[in-house]
């Protein structure tokens, strides 16, 4: 019976993401054009069997999607003002099977914000639908506020109600229900009411033009957050198999496009995340009149026309998740490229030159040097002989639990052995897709879209040192969330380990 059966969080997330996509296409028609372009580019890439120069075979776990699923949005972003708002947003996303993963300190790029990403965390849920929402929270303590802009922002924020009564009541109910799942008839209402929180609300502001101008003068993001009644989604992002081709197609259609693609340079074996966007549009907004000008009898306030620039459309190309060592190397080369003198080269050329020969671009080498995380699969071939070292570690009559213990204790040795099995054709190693974000790329996307026609910050993003001890700020974000943030590295390492354990069990190394 539809009314009493539970809807799985993965299904609900897909329904929510599709409803959000429809809403955003209605609100920002140019976004619909972007989705069409990406779809066409992906079709072309699939029929040419080429994803940006890398072959599909080499990165098969990165492109396992059917063409229909491929065109589903992969992420969106919202910006919140108050810790209490974040707390409720966490509850909403939990119903959709999305949990806070990763901490992003955007103050390193001069933004008074920090962030986490709400996303599915199990391999199974990610495979069903990886939709995620990059969620930033204002840090008022980082707003300079000589003329009271911070107080004004907090005052405006304290007046708004992001969540409908109906939504809050469903949240209360669902948290009492079996595993936090919704019944089918509640699901529809939940999605409808949750979408209100993230809608544009017809562009009716929560402030006067004057208040908007004061906050904007302090920092454009302050106005974007505090002057509106909703936590409007500021972009959605479909996945492309060839971001260079998609960027060219966007330009060919006459879109105003961000100057450069954020993230690593184009590679044969893609790593991490590359992103670009069409620039935020200037959109009509209705601001409140000064209270003194309202109708004293009815208390009604008429509206004043103005505009606001914040909403855009983004595309992303995802590659392999890198290990801590792989990430250090990426950060080191990125910093090097940013600091390098151009010598007449474009920034992209500097990036390509800096990464070439320094960041291996061969799957085997990336695995061998343990720069990326892999998922292992058995090919069906049996190992000719057991590594003597490994046999000693396992003992004469190993159990699955014993094997797991050995794997935990001798991680390095076990991975080396796994790579030997890959070389012998017993296992295949496929890169695990990166499911998270990059702080400097995020800052670059942010800054390109906070100003009308802005290209000021679309060059290489500056890397000033963090202004606060990261632990302290992350603690405050976790306090607002009411839970700890999962370290993405732990999830990738776990996925790699689980797949290897499953392989070793399949190879019959233990008694059952
Ligand atoms: C978030 C920007 C970050 C990304 O893809 O890196 C982001 C924002 O503009 O609110 O979505
Ligand atoms: Ni984004």
């Amino acid at each position: 019976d539809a009314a009493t059966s539970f809807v799985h969080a993965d299904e609900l997330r897909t329904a929510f993401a599709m409803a959000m996509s429809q809403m955003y296409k209605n609100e920002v028609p140019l976004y619909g054009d972007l989705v069409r372009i990406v779809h066409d580019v992906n079709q072309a890439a699939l029929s040419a069997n080429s994803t940006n120069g890398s072959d599909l075979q080499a990165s098969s776990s990165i492109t396992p999607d059917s063409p229909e699923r491929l065109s589903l949005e992969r992420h969106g972003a919202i910006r919140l003002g108050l810790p209490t708002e974040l707390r409720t947003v966490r509850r909403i996303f939990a119903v959709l099977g999305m949990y806070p993963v990763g901490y992003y300190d955007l103050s390193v790029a001069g933004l008074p914000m920090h962030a986490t990403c709400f996303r599915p965390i199990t391999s199974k849920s990610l495979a069903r639908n990886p939709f995620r929402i990059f969620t930033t929270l204002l840090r008022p303590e980082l707003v300079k506020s000589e003329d009271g802009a911070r107080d004004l922002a907090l005052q405006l924020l304290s007046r708004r109600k992001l969540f409908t009564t109906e939504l809050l009541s469903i949240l209360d109910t669902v948290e009492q229900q079996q595993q936090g799942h919704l019944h089918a008839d509640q699901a529809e209402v939940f999605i409808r009411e949750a979408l209100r929180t993230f809608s544009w609300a017809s562009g009716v502001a929560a402030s006067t033009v004057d208040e908007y101008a004061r906050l904007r003068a302090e920092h454009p993001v302050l106005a974007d957050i505090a002057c509106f009644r909703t936590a409007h989604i500021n972009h959605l992002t479909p996945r492309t198999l060839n971001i260079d081709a998609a960027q060219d197609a966007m330009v060919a259609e006459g879109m105003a496009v961000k100057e450069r693609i954020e993230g690593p340079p184009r590679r044969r074996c893609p790593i991490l995340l590359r992103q670009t966007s069409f620039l935020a549009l200037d959109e009509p907004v209705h601001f409140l009149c000064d209270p003194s000008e309202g109708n004293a009898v009815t208390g009604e306030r008429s509206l004043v026309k103005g505009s606001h620039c914040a909403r855009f459309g983004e595309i992303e190309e995802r590659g392999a998740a890198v290990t801590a060592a792989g990430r250090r190397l990426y950060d080191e080369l990125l910093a090097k490229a940013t600091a390098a003198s151009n010598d007449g080269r474009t920034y992209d050329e500097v990036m390509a030159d800096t990464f070439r020969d320094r960041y291996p671009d061969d799957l085997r080498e990336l695995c061998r040097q343990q720069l990326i995380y892999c998922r292992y699969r058995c090919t069906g071939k049996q190992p000719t002989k057991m590594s003597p070292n490994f046999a000693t570690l396992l003992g004469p009559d190993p159990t699955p639990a014993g094997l797991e213990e050995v794997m935990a204790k001798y991680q390095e040795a076990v991975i080396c052995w796994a790579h030997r099995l890959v070389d012998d054709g017993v296992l295949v190693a496929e890169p695990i897709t990166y499911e998270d974000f990059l702080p400097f790329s995020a800052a670059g996307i942010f800054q390109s879209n906070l100003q009308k026609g802005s290209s000021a910050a679309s060059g290489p993003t500056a890397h000033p040192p963090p202004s606060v001890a990261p632990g302290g700020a992350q603690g405050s974000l976790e306090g607002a969330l009411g839970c700890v943030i999962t370290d993405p590295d732990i999830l990738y390492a776990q996925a790699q380990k689980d797949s290897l354990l499953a392989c070793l069990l399949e190879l019959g190394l233990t008694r059952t």
Side-chain angles (χ1 to χ4, degrees), residues 81-102:
L82 299 174
T84 48
E85 295 175 349
L86 181 62
R87 177 74 65 108
T88 304
V89 161
R90 188 208 82 195
R91 294 170 65 205
I92 295 173
F93 291 152
V95 177
L96 300 168
M98 298 152 83
Y99 308 96
V101 177

mmCIF file of all heavy atoms in Angstrom, residues 81-102:
data_model
loop_
_atom_site.group_PDB
_atom_site.id
_atom_site.type_symbol
_atom_site.label_atom_id
_atom_site.label_comp_id
_atom_site.label_asym_id
_atom_site.label_seq_id
_atom_site.Cartn_x
_atom_site.Cartn_y
_atom_site.Cartn_z
ATOM 1 N N GLY A 81 23.017 31.338 6.791
ATOM 2 C CA GLY A 81 23.449 32.446 7.619
ATOM 3 C C GLY A 81 23.657 32.099 9.084
ATOM 4 O O GLY A 81 24.562 32.626 9.729
ATOM 5 N N LEU A 82 22.809 31.220 9.615
ATOM 6 C CA LEU A 82 22.833 30.961 11.058
ATOM 7 C C LEU A 82 23.072 29.487 11.377
ATOM 8 O O LEU A 82 22.609 28.614 10.643
ATOM 9 C CB LEU A 82 21.487 31.371 11.686
ATOM 10 C CG LEU A 82 21.083 32.841 11.568
ATOM 11 C CD1 LEU A 82 19.662 33.035 12.110
ATOM 12 C CD2 LEU A 82 22.077 33.734 12.320
ATOM 13 N N PRO A 83 23.766 29.230 12.501
ATOM 14 C CA PRO A 83 23.978 27.840 12.925
ATOM 15 C C PRO A 83 22.666 27.051 13.042
ATOM 16 O O PRO A 83 22.621 25.872 12.678
ATOM 17 C CB PRO A 83 24.646 27.976 14.290
ATOM 18 C CG PRO A 83 25.297 29.323 14.274
ATOM 19 C CD PRO A 83 24.444 30.189 13.398
ATOM 20 N N THR A 84 21.610 27.710 13.509
ATOM 21 C CA THR A 84 20.331 26.999 13.657
ATOM 22 C C THR A 84 19.768 26.581 12.296
ATOM 23 O O THR A 84 19.116 25.546 12.173
ATOM 24 C CB THR A 84 19.286 27.887 14.375
ATOM 25 O OG1 THR A 84 19.302 29.181 13.733
ATOM 26 C CG2 THR A 84 19.599 28.057 15.836
ATOM 27 N N GLU A 85 20.027 27.383 11.276
ATOM 28 C CA GLU A 85 19.591 27.012 9.919
ATOM 29 C C GLU A 85 20.324 25.764 9.462
ATOM 30 O O GLU A 85 19.732 24.848 8.889
ATOM 31 C CB GLU A 85 19.862 28.159 8.937
ATOM 32 C CG GLU A 85 19.054 29.417 9.214
ATOM 33 C CD GLU A 85 19.419 30.598 8.309
ATOM 34 O OE1 GLU A 85 20.449 30.521 7.588
ATOM 35 O OE2 GLU A 85 18.689 31.603 8.322
ATOM 36 N N LEU A 86 21.620 25.730 9.740
ATOM 37 C CA LEU A 86 22.420 24.573 9.323
ATOM 38 C C LEU A 86 21.950 23.304 10.030
ATOM 39 O O LEU A 86 21.897 22.230 9.443
ATOM 40 C CB LEU A 86 23.913 24.825 9.610
ATOM 41 C CG LEU A 86 24.850 23.701 9.191
ATOM 42 C CD1 LEU A 86 24.810 23.453 7.681
ATOM 43 C CD2 LEU A 86 26.288 23.980 9.619
ATOM 44 N N ARG A 87 21.594 23.455 11.309
ATOM 45 C CA ARG A 87 21.151 22.294 12.079
ATOM 46 C C ARG A 87 19.913 21.653 11.429
ATOM 47 O O ARG A 87 19.822 20.437 11.269
ATOM 48 C CB ARG A 87 20.842 22.737 13.514
ATOM 49 C CG ARG A 87 20.288 21.656 14.432
ATOM 50 C CD ARG A 87 21.350 20.667 14.870
ATOM 51 N NE ARG A 87 22.367 21.304 15.687
ATOM 52 C CZ ARG A 87 22.507 21.117 17.005
ATOM 53 N NH1 ARG A 87 21.690 20.304 17.647
ATOM 54 N NH2 ARG A 87 23.474 21.725 17.654
ATOM 55 N N THR A 88 18.967 22.492 11.024
ATOM 56 C CA THR A 88 17.749 21.948 10.408
ATOM 57 C C THR A 88 18.031 21.393 9.016
ATOM 58 O O THR A 88 17.486 20.356 8.624
ATOM 59 C CB THR A 88 16.643 23.021 10.359
ATOM 60 O OG1 THR A 88 16.430 23.498 11.678
ATOM 61 C CG2 THR A 88 15.340 22.465 9.818
ATOM 62 N N VAL A 89 18.895 22.085 8.281
ATOM 63 C CA VAL A 89 19.276 21.588 6.952
ATOM 64 C C VAL A 89 19.921 20.202 7.076
ATOM 65 O O VAL A 89 19.676 19.306 6.269
ATOM 66 C CB VAL A 89 20.214 22.602 6.247
ATOM 67 C CG1 VAL A 89 20.996 21.953 5.123
ATOM 68 C CG2 VAL A 89 19.394 23.772 5.699
ATOM 69 N N ARG A 90 20.704 20.021 8.123
ATOM 70 C CA ARG A 90 21.299 18.691 8.335
ATOM 71 C C ARG A 90 20.211 17.632 8.494
ATOM 72 O O ARG A 90 20.305 16.524 7.960
ATOM 73 C CB ARG A 90 22.187 18.693 9.578
ATOM 74 C CG ARG A 90 22.981 17.413 9.730
ATOM 75 C CD ARG A 90 23.300 17.077 11.164
ATOM 76 N NE ARG A 90 22.168 16.420 11.809
ATOM 77 C CZ ARG A 90 22.013 16.259 13.109
ATOM 78 N NH1 ARG A 90 22.901 16.730 13.952
ATOM 79 N NH2 ARG A 90 20.961 15.655 13.599
ATOM 80 N N ARG A 91 19.152 17.983 9.226
ATOM 81 C CA ARG A 91 18.055 17.025 9.443
ATOM 82 C C ARG A 91 17.333 16.716 8.123
ATOM 83 O O ARG A 91 16.953 15.579 7.868
ATOM 84 C CB ARG A 91 17.078 17.574 10.469
ATOM 85 C CG ARG A 91 17.697 17.707 11.863
ATOM 86 C CD ARG A 91 16.781 18.481 12.804
ATOM 87 N NE ARG A 91 15.530 17.797 13.071
ATOM 88 C CZ ARG A 91 14.399 18.410 13.436
ATOM 89 N NH1 ARG A 91 14.376 19.737 13.577
ATOM 90 N NH2 ARG A 91 13.301 17.719 13.659
ATOM 91 N N ILE A 92 17.147 17.747 7.296
ATOM 92 C CA ILE A 92 16.492 17.537 5.995
ATOM 93 C C ILE A 92 17.321 16.573 5.139
ATOM 94 O O ILE A 92 16.812 15.607 4.578
ATOM 95 C CB ILE A 92 16.335 18.879 5.233
ATOM 96 C CG1 ILE A 92 15.389 19.820 5.983
ATOM 97 C CG2 ILE A 92 15.842 18.651 3.802
ATOM 98 C CD1 ILE A 92 15.308 21.231 5.394
ATOM 99 N N PHE A 93 18.625 16.846 5.053
ATOM 100 C CA PHE A 93 19.472 16.036 4.185
ATOM 101 C C PHE A 93 19.631 14.607 4.713
ATOM 102 O O PHE A 93 19.818 13.672 3.931
ATOM 103 C CB PHE A 93 20.830 16.714 3.965
ATOM 104 C CG PHE A 93 20.739 17.967 3.125
ATOM 105 C CD1 PHE A 93 21.659 18.998 3.266
ATOM 106 C CD2 PHE A 93 19.718 18.120 2.193
ATOM 107 C CE1 PHE A 93 21.581 20.150 2.496
ATOM 108 C CE2 PHE A 93 19.621 19.272 1.407
ATOM 109 C CZ PHE A 93 20.545 20.290 1.566
ATOM 110 N N ALA A 94 19.559 14.440 6.033
ATOM 111 C CA ALA A 94 19.659 13.081 6.590
ATOM 112 C C ALA A 94 18.523 12.203 6.046
ATOM 113 O O ALA A 94 18.719 11.028 5.738
ATOM 114 C CB ALA A 94 19.626 13.128 8.110
ATOM 115 N N VAL A 95 17.337 12.796 5.897
ATOM 116 C CA VAL A 95 16.202 12.050 5.352
ATOM 117 C C VAL A 95 16.491 11.615 3.911
ATOM 118 O O VAL A 95 16.014 10.587 3.441
ATOM 119 C CB VAL A 95 14.910 12.912 5.419
ATOM 120 C CG1 VAL A 95 13.729 12.201 4.793
ATOM 121 C CG2 VAL A 95 14.601 13.293 6.863
ATOM 122 N N LEU A 96 17.311 12.405 3.225
ATOM 123 C CA LEU A 96 17.653 12.110 1.829
ATOM 124 C C LEU A 96 18.928 11.251 1.722
ATOM 125 O O LEU A 96 19.471 11.082 0.634
ATOM 126 C CB LEU A 96 17.851 13.418 1.059
ATOM 127 C CG LEU A 96 16.638 14.354 1.021
ATOM 128 C CD1 LEU A 96 17.018 15.735 0.508
ATOM 129 C CD2 LEU A 96 15.542 13.758 0.153
ATOM 130 N N GLY A 97 19.406 10.771 2.872
ATOM 131 C CA GLY A 97 20.611 9.925 2.857
ATOM 132 C C GLY A 97 21.876 10.696 2.572
ATOM 133 O O GLY A 97 22.821 10.165 1.984
ATOM 134 N N MET A 98 21.916 11.975 2.970
ATOM 135 C CA MET A 98 23.098 12.815 2.744
ATOM 136 C C MET A 98 23.641 13.301 4.086
ATOM 137 O O MET A 98 22.897 13.862 4.890
ATOM 138 C CB MET A 98 22.727 14.020 1.868
ATOM 139 C CG MET A 98 22.220 13.622 0.479
ATOM 140 S SD MET A 98 21.095 14.846 -0.205
ATOM 141 C CE MET A 98 22.254 16.011 -0.881
ATOM 142 N N TYR A 99 24.944 13.076 4.300
ATOM 143 C CA TYR A 99 25.570 13.383 5.587
ATOM 144 C C TYR A 99 26.799 14.265 5.380
ATOM 145 O O TYR A 99 27.440 14.203 4.338
ATOM 146 C CB TYR A 99 25.960 12.070 6.269
ATOM 147 C CG TYR A 99 24.800 11.115 6.346
ATOM 148 C CD1 TYR A 99 24.631 10.123 5.377
ATOM 149 C CD2 TYR A 99 23.822 11.261 7.327
ATOM 150 C CE1 TYR A 99 23.528 9.277 5.406
ATOM 151 C CE2 TYR A 99 22.723 10.419 7.372
ATOM 152 C CZ TYR A 99 22.578 9.421 6.408
ATOM 153 O OH TYR A 99 21.485 8.599 6.432
ATOM 154 N N PRO A 100 27.126 15.089 6.393
ATOM 155 C CA PRO A 100 28.245 16.019 6.198
ATOM 156 C C PRO A 100 29.600 15.311 6.066
ATOM 157 O O PRO A 100 29.992 14.555 6.939
ATOM 158 C CB PRO A 100 28.204 16.906 7.449
ATOM 159 C CG PRO A 100 27.414 16.147 8.457
ATOM 160 C CD PRO A 100 26.481 15.250 7.703
ATOM 161 N N VAL A 101 30.263 15.560 4.956
ATOM 162 C CA VAL A 101 31.575 14.961 4.677
ATOM 163 C C VAL A 101 32.528 16.084 4.257
ATOM 164 O O VAL A 101 32.223 16.856 3.356
ATOM 165 C CB VAL A 101 31.482 13.925 3.529
ATOM 166 C CG1 VAL A 101 32.867 13.368 3.202
ATOM 167 C CG2 VAL A 101 30.515 12.803 3.872
ATOM 168 N N GLY A 102 33.656 16.158 4.922
ATOM 169 C CA GLY A 102 34.705 17.102 4.517
ATOM 170 C C GLY A 102 34.461 18.501 5.067
ATOM 171 O O GLY A 102 33.336 18.972 5.148
#
